[in-house]
Amino acid sequence: MTTSAGSYGVLLVEDDPADALLIEGALAERGAGEFVQVGDGVAALEYLRHPHAVRPDLIVLDLNMPRMNGRELLGVLKADEDLRSIPVVVLTTSTAPDDIMGAYRQHASAYVTKPLDFEEFERAVQSIDAFYFDPNTKLPRR
């Protein structure tokens, strides 16, 4: 899903439209170019497994969603040979130790808690970008 030099693609799996807009806006300010947003794990798998889908450079995943939640989706993604190499950052309101440890046990790349304050929320999302896509810290792309 890489769109141009310095730009990258994100699959955002988030059921809250307001949070989705904030996340997209914060990442777009930092250079994300292509966004696909879906509302649950079922829709994410449908997108990722579609024969013409463009593979995202990063998946940003909420845990609490209808149909298939983020915990279930993370397990499916990391068990799938074709999808497991895509970095997955869990971005959620949960600070529960079981959720945090469970995400890392299922090989999440990072776990970020959504702050309630708008500016802190924006900084948290931008830190995801800085870690994965800043030219000074960037890992080689697949």
Side-chain angles (χ1 to χ4, degrees):
M1 189 183 279
T2 304
T3 56
S4 64
S7 183
Y8 58 91
V10 175
L11 173 61
L12 175 58
V13 188
E14 170 65 64
D15 65 323
D16 183 310
D19 282 356
L21 282 174
L22 289 174
I23 294 164
E24 184 174 340
L27 289 175
E29 284 182 17
R30 303 270 307 185
E34 180 73 27
F35 283 94
V36 174
Q37 192 260 325
V38 296
D40 60 53
V42 172
L45 286 175
E46 288 171 354
Y47 172 79
L48 289 165
R49 291 181 172 156
H50 190 277
H52 301 294
V54 179
R55 183 182 177 97
D57 296 302
L58 176 69
I59 297 172
V60 177
L61 175 63
D62 187 20
L63 289 184
N64 302 310
M65 299 176 293
R67 295 199 302 168
M68 177 187 283
N69 66 41
R71 295 166 198 82
E72 296 165 322
L73 177 60
L74 184 57
V76 172
L77 292 173
K78 295 307 177 178
D80 186 310
E81 192 172 306
D82 293 329
L83 302 174
R84 72 173 56 138
S85 65
I86 303 171
V88 177
V89 174
V90 174
L91 179 62
T92 188
T93 56
S94 176
T95 58
D98 286 347
D99 284 339
I100 297 167
M101 293 309 299
Y104 284 120
R105 271 194 296 277
Q106 290 185 294
H107 307 288
S109 301
Y111 190 101
V112 180
T113 303
K114 293 178 186 174
L116 297 176
D117 176 76
F118 171 76
E119 288 179 6
E120 289 178 29
F121 186 98
E122 190 172 55
R123 277 193 297 275
V125 173
Q126 289 175 348
S127 73
I128 294 168
D129 168 83
F131 183 78
Y132 285 96
F133 300 106
D134 185 286
N136 298 316
T137 61
K138 191 180 295 185
L139 298 172
R141 295 204 179 172
R142 300 169 298 290

